[in-house]
Amino acid sequence: MKFGYWVPFFGGWLRNVEDEHMTADWSYVKKLAQQSEELGYDLTLIAELNLNDIQGEEAPSLDAWSTATAIAAVTNRIELMVAVRPTFHSPAPLAKQAASIDHISGGRLTLNVVSSWWQDEAKKYGVHFEQHDDRYARTAEWLHVVGNLWKQDHFSFTGKYYRVEDSILQPKPLSKPRPFLYAGGESEAAKELIASQCDGYVMHGDTPDTIGRRINDLRAHRERLGLPPMKFGVAAYSTVRNSEQESLGLRTLTVREQAISHCYPTALQG
């Protein structure tokens, strides 16, 4: 089982607490990453949003990929699970950028592939926002290009969304056979994509029965494709108090008592 936390890249994640006393600045993120590594956390998820959807669009938020590069340089062990949205990144430059961060981190980079969801943000950043299944079709093509650039040189591809000609990417990522790919989603388009091209399925928290059904569903998709078993992750909020009674009576979380974790139970990996 692995435990991780979400980088508070725009000052916290709670919608019902006005001030979590988290600052959206590099010094705070750096301190948290180093302390989390010292405490034994296994990974950190670096989400990608250009606008702050928690505290308002005009509130500050850090860029995911430059932040991931900086964290890679000041940590030694923790896995860097960086979210990437294909609608915002051309595949070849992103493959190059990811390979470089993988080298900086010593092979600790993993990707959380997100097929976008916030149409207003896309418009404000000049990005074309497609219908749901079209976004997943784009992601599938994007992953094909990125994956091949990580494996081979002189790669060419012409598809509906992307085209590369005789592309070369050096150095290749340190991670073998490539950086680990996570993704989430509950539509059939999402599940088919994840089962066929990704390594881990991540979910929002829910009841054990619901999580169990989702895991079994993805396992069935995966088995039909004849691919190795996936890993599974669940996002959860944890409240920390001196007693169970205090924890049960808590209505809101303060910053220092909030921990957001991704768990990958080994019993659920096969």
Side-chain angles (χ1 to χ4, degrees):
M1 183 178 290
K2 294 182 179 181
F3 290 93
Y5 74 98
W6 294 51
V7 168
F9 74 105
F10 48 39
W13 290 92
L14 299 180
R15 298 179 185 275
N16 62 335
V17 177
E18 184 175 347
D19 185 4
E20 294 184 66
H21 304 287
M22 288 181 170
T23 54
D25 62 55
W26 165 240
S27 61
Y28 182 80
V29 169
K30 174 185 175 181
K31 179 180 179 181
L32 185 62
Q34 292 176 327
Q35 289 183 342
S36 298
E37 188 171 66
E38 291 172 2
L39 290 170
Y41 279 85
D42 300 290
L43 64 87
T44 179
L45 171 59
I46 307 165
E48 182 182 50
L49 284 174
N50 297 305
L51 297 175
N52 191 326
D53 78 325
I54 301 291
Q55 300 174 10
E57 293 183 0
E58 296 186 5
S61 62
L62 299 178
D63 168 71
W65 283 83
S66 55
T67 300
T69 307
I71 294 176
V74 299
T75 55
N76 299 299
R77 182 188 58 79
I78 199 164
E79 176 185 329
L80 306 175
M81 180 181 176
V82 191
V84 58
R85 296 174 296 173
T87 51
F88 285 81
H89 299 275
S90 181
L94 190 283
K96 178 73 172 180
Q97 187 176 359
S100 296
I101 297 175
D102 197 50
H103 277 264
I104 293 169
S105 68
R108 291 182 285 130
L109 179 74
T110 60
L111 271 61
N112 179 27
V113 183
V114 182
S115 293
S116 297
W117 56 271
W118 192 359
Q119 184 174 6
D120 189 51
E121 180 206 24
K123 289 180 178 179
K124 291 182 177 181
Y125 271 75
V127 173
H128 179 61
F129 193 84
E130 294 145 328
Q131 296 300 312
H132 180 275
D133 286 4
D134 291 330
R135 296 200 300 275
Y136 279 95
R138 176 185 289 277
T139 297
E141 199 169 285
W142 187 93
L143 283 170
H144 178 75
V145 174
V146 170
N148 276 281
L149 287 173
W150 282 340
K151 291 188 297 184
Q152 60 180 296
D153 282 334
H154 303 287
F155 173 69
S156 297
F157 174 81
T158 300
K160 178 179 179 180
Y161 303 98
Y162 302 108
R163 178 177 180 177
V164 294
E165 296 182 8
D166 194 30
S167 186
I168 296 173
L169 190 155
Q170 289 292 342
K172 302 297 185 191
L174 290 176
S175 303
K176 301 300 179 187
R178 55 158 171 72
F180 195 93
L181 299 177
Y182 301 92
E186 297 178 32
S187 69
E188 280 304 311
K191 289 185 287 188
E192 288 295 334
L193 171 69
I194 295 165
S196 63
Q197 297 201 50
C198 298
D199 310 298
Y201 182 52
V202 289
M203 299 161 279
H204 292 294
D206 215 315
T207 64
D209 287 343
T210 300
I211 295 298
R213 286 195 298 270
R214 291 174 184 164
I215 289 173
N216 290 334
D217 190 15
L218 253 294
R219 279 180 175 162
H221 279 75
R222 188 80 164 181
E223 289 171 0
R224 285 196 294 270
L225 295 170
L227 297 173
M230 303 194 78
K231 292 186 178 181
F232 298 92
V234 180
Y237 286 90
S238 300
T239 60
V240 180
R241 282 294 188 269
N242 293 322
S243 68
E244 183 177 0
Q245 183 177 5
E246 290 181 28
S247 179
L248 291 174
L250 188 65
R251 292 184 180 272
T252 60
L253 304 178
T254 64
V255 157
R256 298 186 186 280
E257 294 151 345
Q258 175 203 0
I260 305 175
S261 64
H262 275 260
C263 313
Y264 304 99
T266 54
L268 301 180
Q269 292 179 2

